[in-house]
Amino acid sequence: MKSTGFRLLFGLLISGFLAACGGGGSNPPATPLSVTTTSLSQGQISVAYSATLSATGGTAPYNWSVKSGSLPAGLSLSAAGAISGTPTAAGASSFVAQVTDSKSGSASSGNLSIAISGGMLQITTTTAPTGTVGTAYPSFQLAATGGVPPYTWAVASGSSLPDGLSLSTAGVVTGTPTKAGTFNPSIAVTDETTTNTLSEPVNFTINPAGTPLPDGGYAFQFNGNTPASKGGNPVVISGSFLVVNGAVQVGAYSENELNAQPVIVQAFTGGSVSIAPNGLGQLVLDLPNGNITFALAVPASATTANNDSDIRIIEFDDTTGSGMRGSGVLKASSVSNVAPANLKGNYAFGFRGYDMHSQPVAVIGSFQADGSGNITSGSVDLNDNGAVSSSTSVTGTSTPASLGGLITLKIGSATLNFDYYQVSPTELLTTSADQTSATIPMVSGVVLQQTGPFTTASFTGANVLGMTGSTLQGPATFIPDVTLGLLTSDGKGNVSASYDEFKASLLPTQKYTGTYTVDATTGRTPITVSSATKAVLYLVSNTTAFAFGTDTSTSSGLVEAQSGSPFTNASLKGNYLGGTIPWPDVHVVSLVAADGNGNVQFTSDLSGSTGLLPNVTTSGTYSVDATGRAVLTVAGDSTPEIFYVVSPTRTVFLSGEAGGFLGSFEQ
C-alpha cells in the first residue's frame, strides 16, 4: 500500500514538473537550425562546378542565400543550396551563407571559400629587365599563370637575387644593383591554396655603372605589331618626355592601331632609363595602360649637347614571344626649342604604314607653311601596294601644342590628320591621328624642314640609299623586301644606281642608269629609267632626301650623302651603336665594334617571336671596297650581312637574318 502510494505521488510530481516546463505535448522540441557545411571543393576556370550546402535542425524546407561576401565569377547559389555554374576567372572567393527554415528560423555558416584554379601554375617572366650598377633598378613585376591567384613570391631556398635587389611577397623586384654580372636565381611562387608552389630560374643581367642619359627633353617613335592574341595588327606610337636625374618625368604619346580608334595625346608620368658602359641600356615608360620597356643602343654622340643622333629602341619586355614587338628611334629635343609655334617654311616628309586591308603604303611629299597655322600648297606621292599616284592639290593647317601639335593635310578630296612631337623646330615625329578608312591609311614618319630652293645640282655625288618594303608571297602573306646601295648623280640630271636587295634571298647586285629632274619649290625629284618612273625623291637638303620606289613592294626610305672616301677597312673603325629600322620581323639593338683591320664583334639585344635574347655576342670579318660597301662574314652563318659606309661616324647595315632587315648605326 505504501509502495503504491509512493508511485502515485511520484507520478503526480513528474507530471506537474513537465506541465510547468511546457511539456506534456505529443511532439518533442525541434533541434536548433545550423549549417553543417564547413568547406567546399576547389574548382577550375572554364570547367563546370557543382556543390551543395547542407544544414540540420529547424523545420524543413530550407531556403539558402548569400549573407555576405561573394561567390566566384560565373557561380550562383540556388534557394535549395546548390552552387553551380562555370567559373570565368581564377582566384579565391569567400562568403557567408544563410539558411532559413519554414518557421523563419535562420542560421549562418562560417566563412566559406571556393578556390578557382587557372590550370597548371607557371612563372611567365623568366627574363628580368637589365639593370645597371649604381642606378635604381626599373621596378619589375614578376608574373605567373595558373593555380589560384593571388600569388605569394619569394627567392627560393639556396638562391639569392643580384646584390642590392629585393623581392616583395607581391612579386615586385626593386633596389639598386651593386654588382655587375649575369644571375639566374630560382624564384618561388605559391598560390592562394598555400599547397601549390613552383620554383623557376629568372635571368638577371646587371651592367657595370655607365653614363646616364642626359637630362632634357626626348621625342620617340615606335613601329610594331600587337600580340597575335590581339589580332597581330600594325601599331605606331609617337611621343615625348622629360628626363631629370635619370628618371622619366612628365610625357605624352599618341598611338594608332590599324583599323582601331587612335589614342590622341595621352599624358603619362614616370619611368626610368639606364645606360651601360658599352652603350646598351633600357628605358621604362609608365604608361596609363601599363609599363613598356625598351632596350636602347645609345651612340656616344647622343650624350653630347645639341646632338642630332638616333638612339635606336626595341620593345624588350615580353619573354614569351607572344607580346607586342617593334622598333623605333629616340632623339634628344631641346625643351627651349620645343615651343608651341606654328610651322613656317617648306617641309618634306616620309611616311609609311598600311591601308585598311593591311597592305603596305608609302607616302612622301612636301608642303609650304606660312607660320600662321596655314599650309598653303604642296606635293604628295603615294604608293599603296604598288598603286602609285600623285597630287599637287595640297592645303591644310597646323595647330601647335606644348610638346607637339596637329597637322591636317587636305590632299585632293581626302583629309588626313597627324599628331606630331618635336625633336626641334626643324624636325617632327608624326603619327596618323585618324582611324583607318578606305581613303586614309595608318602611317608614321618624319617631317624635316627643307633648305631650298633646289636645282639639279642639289642632288649630286654618291649617296647611300636604304629602303624597306614588303612583297607579297602567297595569299595575304608579306615578307620583307630591303634595299641598300648607292645612288650616284652627276648634278646635271644623270643618275646611276648599284644596290643590294634581300627578298627571301640576297639577289644579285642590281644596277640601273637614268635621269632626274628637280622641282625648285617642292624638291620633288623623279628618277626616270627607260621612260618609266623608277623612284621618286623629295629633297630635304643637298645631303638628305626621302625616297620611295614605284614597285609593288612599296619600298621607301632615306637617301644620305656619302662622305669619307677613299674607303678602306679603316673606314669602318670604332664602336657603333644602333639597331633595326622599322619594320622588320626581328628587332635588334647592337654595339658593333670594328677594329679597322677587318675584324668586328656584335653585342646585341634581340626581340622576336621566340622571346628576348639579351647580350648575344657574335664576331666576324669584313672587307670594305672602294665604294664603301663592306661584306661581313660570320663563322658558321651563311646569312648575308652587308655594310655601306655613310660617313666616318655612320654606317647602314643590311642583314638577311629573320627574313631581312636594315639597321642604322652611329658612333
Side-chain angles (χ1 to χ4, degrees):
M1 184 71 181
K2 288 181 179 180
S3 174
T4 302
F6 177 79
R7 288 196 297 269
L8 179 60
L9 178 62
F10 182 76
L12 291 172
L13 290 171
I14 293 298
S15 298
F17 176 78
L18 291 174
C21 295
S26 59
N27 296 321
T31 304
L33 181 63
S34 65
V35 177
T36 58
T37 301
T38 58
S39 64
L40 291 166
S41 60
Q42 179 175 304
Q44 184 167 328
I45 191 171
S46 302
V47 176
Y49 181 87
S50 178
T52 302
L53 299 177
S54 60
T56 187
T59 303
Y62 302 137
N63 185 72
W64 292 87
S65 62
V66 175
K67 182 178 181 181
S68 62
S70 62
L71 294 170
L75 301 188
S76 61
L77 171 63
S78 73
I83 299 174
S84 61
T86 301
T88 59
S93 297
S94 296
F95 67 99
V96 173
Q98 178 172 278
V99 61
T100 304
D101 68 4
S102 62
K103 300 293 186 180
S104 298
S106 65
S108 298
S109 69
N111 200 43
L112 298 175
S113 179
I114 300 178
I116 303 300
S117 172
M120 184 177 66
L121 185 62
Q122 180 181 0
I123 296 175
T124 57
T125 45
T126 56
T127 300
T130 299
T132 302
V133 170
T135 300
Y137 189 74
S139 181
F140 170 52
Q141 173 69 63
L142 289 162
T145 59
V148 182
Y151 307 115
T152 301
W153 297 85
V155 179
S157 178
S159 282
S160 59
L161 291 174
D163 292 352
L165 300 186
S166 61
L167 172 65
S168 73
T169 56
V172 179
V173 179
T174 56
T176 300
T178 60
K179 182 180 179 181
T182 300
F183 308 89
N184 291 280
S186 290
I187 304 297
V189 61
T190 303
D191 74 359
E192 176 72 8
T193 68
T194 71
T195 61
N196 193 4
T197 299
L198 172 74
S199 295
E200 288 188 13
V202 175
N203 176 263
F204 287 80
T205 299
I206 306 299
N207 291 324
T211 304
L213 194 65
D215 287 355
Y218 291 85
F220 70 94
Q221 188 168 81
F222 173 86
N223 303 269
N225 290 82
T226 63
S229 61
K230 296 183 178 180
N233 296 321
V235 61
V236 295
I237 305 173
S238 294
S240 61
F241 56 84
L242 191 66
V243 171
V244 179
N245 296 327
V248 176
Q249 303 293 315
V250 63
Y253 73 99
S254 298
E255 179 176 354
N256 200 327
E257 179 183 338
L258 188 69
N259 296 325
Q261 188 66 35
V263 174
I264 305 299
V265 193
Q266 177 73 55
F268 67 89
T269 302
S272 60
V273 62
S274 59
I275 310 170
N278 63 3
L280 300 179
Q282 281 200 336
L283 166 68
V284 179
L285 298 180
D286 300 336
L287 303 183
N289 58 350
N291 292 357
I292 184 171
T293 300
F294 300 100
L296 310 176
V298 185
S301 56
T303 63
T304 62
N306 302 317
N307 73 85
D308 190 39
S309 301
D310 291 341
I311 300 173
R312 293 289 162 180
I313 63 175
I314 61 172
E315 187 163 4
F316 205 73
D317 52 12
D318 175 73
T319 60
T320 65
S322 60
M324 185 164 70
R325 288 290 185 270
S327 55
V329 65
L330 172 69
K331 301 196 72 167
S333 62
S334 170
V335 175
S336 60
N337 286 339
V338 182
N342 271 310
L343 306 182
K344 184 175 183 179
N346 292 7
Y347 295 82
F349 59 86
F351 303 152
R352 61 170 171 259
Y354 294 91
D355 63 21
M356 66 181 299
H357 305 295
S358 299
Q359 299 176 141
V361 169
V363 186
I364 62 174
S366 67
F367 60 80
Q368 292 74 52
D370 65 3
S372 299
N374 301 303
I375 294 172
T376 57
S377 61
S379 175
V380 173
D381 285 78
L382 168 72
N383 186 340
D384 185 351
N385 196 38
V388 179
S389 59
S390 61
S391 175
T392 55
S393 175
V394 179
T395 58
T397 59
S398 64
T399 306
S402 59
L403 295 175
L406 178 72
I407 293 174
T408 298
L409 292 180
K410 297 179 180 180
I411 305 172
S413 60
T415 300
L416 287 76
N417 294 288
F418 303 92
D419 282 339
Y420 70 82
Y421 294 86
Q422 289 183 275
V423 174
S424 72
T426 62
E427 182 175 2
L428 317 174
L429 303 181
T430 62
T431 298
S432 290
D434 301 306
Q435 185 170 348
T436 324
S437 70
T439 57
I440 300 176
M442 182 204 73
V443 296
S444 66
V446 183
V447 177
L448 296 174
Q449 190 163 44
Q450 294 174 301
T451 59
F454 301 105
T455 68
T456 305
S458 300
F459 176 50
T460 187
N463 301 269
V464 176
L465 167 69
M467 296 200 297
T468 62
S470 301
T471 187
L472 190 63
Q473 188 178 65
T477 300
F478 289 87
I479 63 171
D481 183 359
V482 293
T483 300
L484 181 61
L486 292 177
L487 276 179
T488 304
S489 166
D490 64 359
K492 300 177 181 179
N494 301 296
V495 64
S496 63
S498 176
Y499 56 91
D500 294 283
E501 183 176 5
F502 191 94
K503 185 164 57 174
S505 62
L506 185 65
L507 304 179
T509 300
Q510 310 288 298
K511 294 186 178 183
Y512 67 78
T513 59
T515 59
Y516 69 91
T517 57
V518 177
D519 185 277
T521 302
T522 65
R524 185 177 188 269
T525 306
I527 295 177
T528 302
V529 178
S530 301
S531 301
T533 302
K534 178 74 172 179
V536 177
L537 313 182
Y538 274 83
L539 302 181
V540 177
S541 65
N542 60 1
T543 61
T544 307
F546 294 108
F548 84 177
T550 57
D551 56 340
T552 56
S553 292
T554 322
S555 300
S556 63
L558 200 64
V559 175
E560 300 174 272
Q562 189 184 50
S563 63
S565 63
F567 298 107
T568 65
N569 281 355
S571 301
L572 194 62
K573 182 178 181 179
N575 290 341
Y576 298 81
L577 275 297
T580 45
I581 298 173
W583 298 353
D585 289 342
V586 67
H587 308 280
V588 185
V589 288
S590 301
L591 161 66
V592 179
D595 67 358
N597 295 313
N599 302 296
V600 65
Q601 178 170 304
F602 291 79
T603 303
S604 306
D605 291 330
L606 300 92
S607 173
S609 58
T610 59
L612 308 179
L613 295 173
N615 294 318
V616 176
T617 59
T618 56
S619 59
T621 59
Y622 64 91
S623 177
V624 180
D625 69 15
T627 68
R629 179 179 184 267
V631 178
L632 173 68
T633 302
V634 177
D637 187 359
S638 60
T639 304
E641 317 278 356
I642 296 169
F643 283 100
Y644 272 85
V645 176
V646 178
S647 73
T649 60
R650 177 163 159 70
T651 184
V652 185
F653 176 53
L654 181 150
S655 173
E657 183 181 359
F661 65 85
L662 288 183
S664 174
F665 298 87
E666 298 179 48
Q667 289 188 340

